[in-house]
């Protein structure tokens, strides 16, 4: 059965896997101190055009969010996210497990508004502010969001301005960053993101790696003894090379961007196929995740032939499903999908 | 420079890597629900001769210890370990991070004694027992230990008897289990370990995998909603196949045991080489880790030619170093090492 | 300046203080094992008409919520509260500090609806349920709520039915329970609450004690080794008598209910005074907390003469304030207040 | 039955209780913002001769240790204590509950040696130091110790020098500080302690208060938003006056020191009585806790007449017991005790 279930249905991109094979026999020191981690960091800094950035690799996305948020927040602070943000809704309580609250502002197709963020933060600074509430100590956004949508450069800058006004770091979760960067509807480059945010991560798991995310601290703000904090959270791999080699491959010859570009092209075609057959979209997504509104009959029929993800039930007779493309999505997959629509 | 620095200096065993390559293009569901995880679990249960065992995969060792200990302990309990146990000394506080104390009993070349364990636990049950101390809720041992030593079947059974007497689960950390099972000086089989302990893990990272440990709950005692607890701790990989495929390979055609056997043979040869040249051993280890007592001059000389691990300074003029063998250790490596002794 | 700022502006009710003085010189064992704790527990069980209840004393409200919630939840669970619930909004992250998420359902004048609670919980049990979210493991309500409102017997029973259907304990925060029980608009008795809920607490701090809350486990469901868990959270007083003596006094000669009755009478008079002068109420509260809608001019004027609590700004020209009555509120206080309206 | 079970068997010192009664009817703001908290802080700063000290009140000792340690440690750090230190052994895991490890150095009659502390800390700074262990981020000592012993000024200064050398704060747990300050065998004044340590607490619960400890940050080092962190840990009392009024009384007319002096006099007499009758002491304690070595027959006989604390069994036929004096110990109590020896 063909699958559009997610962007992590296949193994590694062939070029990533090849690099793992090519380097497999080398003796390397552990815990991320090997030369491939080093090389990958350099390549990422170059891609960000930010020579002073500090790059660290962590195995998975939930883990990355938990590690970054909990090491950067102060004891009395929480992280602000959109109600639909991954850390608010889909992390099984991983942020709260670190002892910190997730504070929420409204989500608009996955995005937060700078104006609403500002209003929210302001309430902690007024005349009547008091110490009985969790203080907003970081702003978390995902880009693309959980609904595939993207912030414009202006929107991101506006959020960053609010953050700067209150000296709160802005953290961008880029689990699917490649798909945002290569969307036709974006004016944000990797360099922009590195400049505008305080910390962000470049997702590998959902963009051609077997596992791994690259955290980029953009302002010399990596927490002290970060390695120890990572280990304390169980997030340090003995064979750190596994992450270094993969990211080295992803940032060689623009592979990371090529993967993004390919998935976007496939998503555009997929979108066209659904549209041509008269399906409605639940949301207008410019990235690799597409959210289609199906009647329950359509849903029951299609899911027998194609692996897709249930998303939500907007009413009693419809179902929203998600289809995702990735590095392994092929024209043949799309053709077969077309037969079942 | 040749390296005996650890048993995680190389990538994956070629057969493991081959399996990753062979299955790379398959579309598989995420989070460990794929068929390779399923197959690997079945093979592990068979190798343990324990059809009702519950097997779960986790990416790394510290993480596995933290997840198993914190999901099995009750709120008011701590875990008992030898003072030299990995969880006591080398995990950067990962157990305490889960809110639980590590209680210690003396370590004897890495091992705890059943008699001392019993005395320790008894103090919580006497007339004068009270509720102001952390209750021992699990016993943690590593096998092989951090010093390469092994429990005999009788020693392990005696510890298990103490545990059973007080209804405390026994957890065996098998990060290097293969090397214990294939040692010439052991009378413990994998089946014995599955029968005697309540939960243990079969280490992959240090035995030919890129990452991954297989936790075996032997008595139907896997904590409820274990997947959610794993995710909450950031320990759930989206591409769970990465662990399933590797363990499927490790438990096909006895590869896991073959790797152990090879490393033990290499360690025996290495031991002989040091002995022949008159070096003393800090500890008599029957497994793949060897601890050699060097003068500081010897240490300074050898470490320029061979990557080895500093272990400790027993006095002001000597240094204990560790050399480890693994799947990738070759006769050529040993030959070269011999030149520098 | 007279104060209606809160129900904890004064010290202890004179009868409570007298009991502390009368027993002060007695030698008593520590940590709540004294005879006054014992006697108070018996009196509370009797007042609840629940001989098998288990009663425990904890010093403060936030602490009580954190201890009860975190010792009763399983690792993978969170607590469900109304968005306006104390644990959601006003506890400085104390629940999250225990590693658990607060899940929210809409608040309606401080209350949750059984129907909305049911819909929320149902999403965790459907076909598409999955393990990536925090499972609802307890329902938390406050009675009176943070807005002074009360559940009717039917409303409480309906919520309890939902809880029972899904085997989720219902926890009632009774920080101000006396004021709910003695309201003219309630059909719920203490006995009802003991029967309907799984655990609740009888607030002392806000009802005449210097500090202290009495937790009542109604179904034999007190967590094992509760004392150790309380101490682990820093919530165990060495001189446990401080809590036992006070609750013994509060539950002698119906003092707890008398205090509630007095405060309600004072609140009714206060309400009448505001109403007579044409003020509007932000919410119709039948208990000791009254929420008045003031123009900003009125607010600025009144707060110069009377200590009152800022609550929120519903628009740019108005302010909602809270006035609370308690055991120490007198007719003289009300008379003086009247002069400033 | 007379009791020497602990120094918290009685209620409050009469002068403390009187102050609670005298101020009971006053309307005061909550959470420690009242004038008595303010006055008590000023008096404590004066007693320490440290006008810039920052003083905060917390209800209990375990809580104080947990709050101070966890708010002052960095994420990757643990606290160093003697193996016999309260935080190592008697706090039910309260420190680990905050996610931090307690690192131990040997205890010598309850005290740590500066030389051993230095050796321990040095191991984290050498050539072979690495990031896989918990870093020592605070040194915790108790004074008097759990065995009633005291540091000399030189010993305390030496420990402080080690701390300063490595920029690690020194925290002194003064749960029984008064008894240390008024011992005949001390050369340390309150002023010395304030000067030498970085943070310490002045115990109230065991020195005449119903509850309450006063934390003194001596170097402008109170953690930011400390109140929020206190509340987050459930340690903030709504009626903060309860602590403020008591400490105001304790630091009026040298009451705190008078209580200490009285208890020491009683302890000296008690010690003489035991010595005269030929009993041996387990440890030579110069403070209010006395540790007597009894045969098991003596223990069984005496404990029927006098409440005393079991301490430990040094061998199979002896028992060590603790007797403590306090503000309420009288000559009559001693006389009666004498009859049973």
């Amino acid at each position: 059965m063909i699958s559009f279930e997610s962007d992590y249905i296949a193994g590694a991109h062939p070029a990533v896997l090849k690099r793992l094979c090519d380097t497999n026999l080398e003796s390397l020191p552990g815990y991320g101190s090997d030369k491939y981690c080093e090389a990958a960091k350099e390549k990422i800094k170059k891609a960000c055009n930010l020579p002073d950035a500090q790059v660290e690799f962590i195995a998975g996305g939930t883990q990355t969010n938990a590690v970054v948020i909990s090491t950067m927040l102060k004891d009395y602070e929480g992280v602000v996210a959109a109600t639909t943000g991954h850390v608010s809704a889909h992390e099984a309580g991983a942020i709260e497990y670190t002892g910190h609250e997730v504070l929420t502002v409204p989500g608009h197709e996955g995005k937060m508004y700078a104006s609403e963020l500002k209003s929210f933060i302001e309430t902690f600074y007024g005349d009547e502010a008091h110490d009985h509430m969790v203080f907003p100590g970081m702003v978390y956004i995902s880009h693309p969001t959980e609904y595939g949508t993207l912030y414009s450069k202006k929107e991101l800058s506006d959020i960053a301005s609010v953050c700067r006004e209150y000296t709160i770091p802005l953290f961008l979760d880029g689990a699917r960053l490649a798909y945002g960067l290569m969307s036709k509807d974006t004016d944000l480059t990797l360099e922009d993101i590195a400049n505008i945010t305080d910390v962000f991560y470049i997702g590998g798991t959902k963009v051609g790696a077997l596992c791994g995310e690259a955290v980029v601290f953009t302002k010399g703000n990596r927490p002290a003894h970060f390695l120890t904090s990572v280990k304390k959270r169980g997030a340090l791999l003995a064979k750190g090379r596994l992450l270094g080699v993969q990211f080295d491959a992803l940032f060689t010859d623009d592979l990371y961007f090529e993967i993004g570009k390919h998935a976007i092209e496939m998503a555009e075609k997929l979108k066209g196929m659904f549209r041509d057959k008269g399906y409605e979209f639940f949301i207008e997504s410019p990235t690799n995740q597409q959210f289609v509104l199906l009647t329950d009959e359509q849903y029951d029929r299609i899911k027998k032939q194609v692996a897709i993800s249930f998303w939500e039930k907007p009413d009693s007779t419809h179902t929203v499903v998600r289809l995702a493309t990735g590095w392994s999505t092929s024209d043949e997959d799309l053709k077969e999908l077309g037969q079942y629509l």
Side-chain angles (χ1 to χ4, degrees), chain A residues 60-327:
Chain A
T62 299
Q63 197 165 62
T64 300
N65 284 334
V67 169
V68 170
I69 291 170
S70 66
T71 56
M72 292 190 75
L73 284 183
K74 297 196 188 71
D75 179 77
Y76 53 91
E77 296 177 337
V79 59
V80 186
T83 46
T84 52
H86 215 70
V87 295
S88 319
H90 297 282
E91 306 266 48
I95 306 307
E96 290 81 5
Y97 187 64
T98 72
H100 291 283
E101 186 171 352
V102 180
L103 306 164
T104 52
V105 292
H108 304 278
E109 302 200 331
K111 293 154 68 177
M112 67 169 64
Y113 288 171
S115 57
E116 291 179 345
L117 174 66
K118 188 173 162 70
S119 301
F120 176 76
I121 296 177
E122 265 173 354
T123 61
F124 292 85
Y125 288 86
D127 271 9
E128 308 291 353
H130 60 79
D131 281 332
H132 297 257
M133 295 171 83
V134 172
F135 204 80
M138 174 181 259
V139 171
Y140 165 96
I141 56 173
S142 37
H143 180 87
T145 69
E146 295 69 20
Y147 285 95
T149 52
L150 292 173
Y151 289 91
S152 70
K153 188 165 178 176
K154 174 157 188 352
E155 287 169 338
L156 186 63
S157 299
D158 286 351
I159 290 173
S161 293
V162 174
C163 289
R164 238 167 282 130
E165 189 180 343
Y166 295 97
T167 328
I168 294 175
L170 174 60
F171 172 34
L172 183 147
D173 173 340
R176 297 185 166 93
L177 191 57
Y179 310 124
L181 295 174
M182 303 311 290
S183 168
K184 284 157 189 167
D185 292 348
T186 191
D187 58 353
L188 275 169
T189 64
L190 181 56
E191 194 176 335
D192 290 334
I193 287 170
N195 280 326
I196 296 171
T197 67
D198 296 283
V199 55
F200 70 103
Y201 82 85
I202 299 171
T205 302
K206 290 165 179 165
V207 190
L210 287 167
C211 64
E213 324 295 322
V215 183
V216 185
F217 297 95
T218 64
K219 311 278 189 280
N221 52 352
R222 181 181 55 199
H225 290 269
F226 189 71
L227 184 81
T228 309
S229 292
V230 169
K231 175 150 191 166
K232 177 175 177 173
R233 284 153 181 81
L236 188 65
L237 290 186
K239 292 187 182 171
R241 67 195 291 158
L242 172 57
L243 307 179
V245 169
Q246 292 186 91
F247 270 96
D248 188 51
L250 286 172
F251 280 83
T252 298
D253 296 338
D254 288 337
L255 177 59
Y256 192 74
F257 303 94
E258 288 304 318
I259 291 173
K261 197 175 155 206
H262 172 75
I264 290 294
E265 283 170 6
M266 293 292 116
E268 290 296 323
K269 287 183 186 173
L270 181 149
K271 209 191 291 195
M273 284 166 52
F274 274 96
R275 194 161 279 145
D276 290 350
K277 300 237 176 166
Y279 287 87
E280 262 184 74
F281 288 87
F282 178 63
I283 219 163
E284 195 55 46
S285 159
T287 59
N288 76 317
Q289 298 183 89
Q290 295 297 324
F291 300 85
V292 189
L293 183 72
L294 301 178
T295 64
D296 288 350
E297 290 85 342
Q298 290 170 331
Y299 176 47
D300 286 341
R301 177 168 53 78
I302 295 174
K303 77 177 177 186
K304 280 181 194 134
Q305 313 284 356
V306 187
I308 51 180
S309 283
F310 168 87
W311 209 249
E312 61 188 71
K313 280 200 71 62
D315 59 50
S316 62
T317 59
H318 290 80
T319 299
V320 176
V321 298
R322 184 192 67 175
L323 293 94
T325 60
W327 71 261

